[in-house]
Amino acid sequence: MQGGAGPRVGTSKGGVRELVWGYLESSGLADAPRPVHGRIPNFKGASHAATRLLALQEFKAASTGSHQACCSIKELDAFSRASVIKVDPDKPLEGVRLAALQARKTLLVPTPRLRSGLFNRIVPPAGATKEILRICSTSRGIKEYSVPVGLDGKVRVDLVVVGSVAVSEKGWRIGKGEGYADMEYAMMVSMGAVKEETPVVTIVHDCQVLDISEELLDDHDLTVDYILTPTRTIKTNCKRPKPQGIIWHKVSYEMLAKIPILKSLRYKEKQTGKDVTLQDEHPDLANANESTALNEKAMPGNTRPQAAMGSAQLGQQLLGISQKTYRKCLRRGDSCLPQIMGNWSRRTSHKPVQIDSCPSWKISNNEFYSFFYRSLLIF
């Protein structure tokens, strides 16, 4: 916390997160769900900061206690002017979602872990009471009163509200470490849903406002324009550029598998001539894939080459991995494939596919996931 008591700044993003989570718990500031470790932390007084977004003169006597931080969002002109607001589904932002619904804004909430798309639009029933609107702002309401928004929805977002674990007065933000807020923003840029001048707001406790070294930031990290706490509204005047779109060379095949909408965006951007080479993609993979497709067209009838299980040399060429790794993947795949396919289709969380009962063949999970997903793409 700048200018007062709070956690001391860490020397890495992980260190900063652990310090903030630990301080919130040890100081009694953490609120449900507990523990806050591994989450965008909820804190006592979170709801009050959201109401500042409507109009400063109308909400000078904002309530105290558990509503403290979210009330602040009503004081921002950016909130008053906004028609469409994207708010993350984190618990401490519940008050922001409620304020948006009460102000009759169009409220967009990212789908959990981006598994089934990018946005859900919250649609309260006609004549919704205050209690129904409150439910609509919760995780339950996001499930029961939302409709998906597709890539072709021509969405234009006027205000973005994200959760944070830590943030600096300069606008530098650290999330919980999974990169979803950064990816969501990059995807919105790719869709044309946001512009560089679209305001980004975060809501945190005062103790989460720290001096963060710029050296900890990467080029994909989202920065914020406003920080709302239970006691302050901070305009950061951040000069660091926000992400200009998806940085494909930082996207892995595993991430592409976890976030299906990325495949659609990748295809669209590839059609425009952008370089969409992935982090773990062999440089010659795309060319090899294209050559294979051309060869198949030239072959008569049913003479199409068999899928990856046929030739180690073909697999090595197409998948961009060593022959030794390829053969290990095949042996592991022969014994695990039914279980993997079942788990893959049923998976509903961000946790890795469970393949502990399969022989390891001395190959890492990441290597095998990459092999498996590349096989799906190619064959």
Side-chain angles (χ1 to χ4, degrees):
M1 176 179 171
Q2 296 175 346
R8 294 188 176 183
V9 183
T11 57
S12 67
K13 286 183 178 179
V16 171
R17 294 183 189 106
E18 291 299 328
L19 285 169
V20 170
W21 289 328
Y23 184 81
L24 285 168
E25 289 285 359
S26 64
S27 63
L29 294 170
D31 208 348
R34 304 277 297 278
V36 295
H37 289 76
R39 309 176 190 269
I40 297 296
N42 195 19
F43 55 91
K44 294 175 181 177
S47 299
H48 177 79
T51 50
R52 253 186 236 153
L53 265 179
L54 281 181
L56 178 60
Q57 63 275 19
E58 296 178 15
F59 294 92
K60 286 182 179 178
S63 58
T64 57
S66 64
H67 287 271
Q68 255 179 333
C70 286
C71 296
S72 306
I73 205 161
K74 295 183 179 181
E75 297 180 1
L76 293 182
D77 289 338
F79 182 88
S80 301
R81 295 194 302 266
S83 297
V84 180
I85 301 177
K86 175 258 185 187
V87 184
D88 284 351
D90 307 304
K91 178 66 175 178
L93 303 182
E94 201 169 277
V96 180
R97 298 192 292 273
L98 178 58
L101 292 172
Q102 290 175 334
R104 300 182 182 276
K105 311 288 187 183
T106 297
L107 175 60
L108 303 177
V109 179
T111 60
R113 303 194 176 279
L114 303 176
R115 284 191 297 265
S116 58
L118 180 53
F119 294 130
N120 283 330
R121 181 164 60 93
I122 309 303
V123 184
T129 63
K130 289 183 178 180
E131 177 59 18
I132 293 295
L133 290 180
R134 186 196 64 78
I135 293 174
C136 287
S137 70
T138 66
S139 57
R140 169 189 163 190
I142 293 171
K143 294 177 182 177
E144 295 181 3
Y145 296 100
S146 66
V147 295
V149 177
L151 281 179
D152 299 323
K154 304 297 182 184
V155 176
R156 178 58 58 84
V157 176
D158 302 309
L159 181 66
V160 175
V161 184
V162 297
S164 301
V165 173
V167 66
S168 77
E169 290 191 7
K170 294 181 179 179
W172 302 338
R173 171 189 174 274
I174 294 178
K176 60 185 175 183
E178 296 181 343
Y180 283 103
D182 305 315
M183 178 59 73
E184 289 159 8
Y185 185 87
M187 292 167 73
M188 288 192 290
V189 172
S190 296
M191 293 170 57
V194 295
K195 297 181 178 180
E196 177 66 26
E197 61 269 22
T198 303
V200 178
V201 179
T202 193
I203 291 179
V204 295
H205 192 274
D206 292 274
C207 74
Q208 293 173 257
V209 182
L210 306 172
D211 289 312
I212 298 173
S213 171
E214 190 172 9
E215 295 177 356
L216 299 183
L217 302 186
D218 294 314
D219 51 1
H220 65 269
D221 285 328
L222 179 62
T223 57
V224 302
D225 302 296
Y226 294 93
I227 304 168
L228 307 183
T229 78
T231 65
R232 295 191 292 168
T233 297
I234 303 168
K235 186 174 182 179
T236 66
N237 296 309
C238 185
K239 304 302 181 185
R240 185 182 177 90
K242 295 183 175 68
Q244 300 301 302
I246 299 170
I247 305 174
W248 290 106
H249 69 264
K250 293 192 174 184
V251 177
S252 66
Y253 277 101
E254 186 179 0
M255 186 181 298
L256 207 64
K258 287 180 178 179
I259 308 176
I261 193 174
L262 273 178
K263 290 177 63 177
S264 301
L265 284 171
R266 186 180 184 229
Y267 175 79
K268 288 189 173 187
E269 295 206 354
K270 187 175 183 179
Q271 300 308 302
T272 66
K274 291 186 178 180
D275 182 3
V276 294
T277 302
L278 301 181
Q279 180 185 71
D280 45 3
E281 183 173 8
H282 191 278
D284 297 325
L285 180 60
N287 294 333
N289 194 17
E290 184 176 348
S291 298
T292 302
L294 291 173
N295 291 336
E296 289 173 7
K297 288 182 180 179
M299 296 174 118
N302 297 322
T303 58
R304 175 181 176 176
Q306 294 301 307
M309 300 303 170
S311 162
Q313 185 176 4
L314 176 63
Q316 178 188 359
Q317 178 187 12
L318 291 180
L319 299 174
I321 57 179
S322 70
Q323 195 172 100
K324 182 178 180 181
T325 298
Y326 175 81
R327 285 172 174 158
K328 288 180 181 179
C329 287
L330 290 190
R331 291 198 297 269
R332 185 170 179 178
D334 286 340
S335 56
C336 307
L337 198 56
Q339 179 185 348
I340 293 167
M341 289 298 292
N343 286 342
W344 193 279
S345 61
R346 293 192 303 269
R347 186 171 57 182
T348 57
S349 76
H350 71 290
K351 296 179 180 178
V353 179
Q354 297 302 310
I355 52 178
D356 294 339
S357 61
C358 304
S360 67
W361 297 107
K362 296 182 180 179
I363 184 172
S364 70
N365 279 354
N366 285 341
E367 283 182 306
F368 185 65
Y369 296 149
S370 178
F371 160 82
F372 179 65
Y373 189 67
R374 291 182 192 196
S375 298
L376 294 180
L377 288 178
I378 295 171
F379 302 109

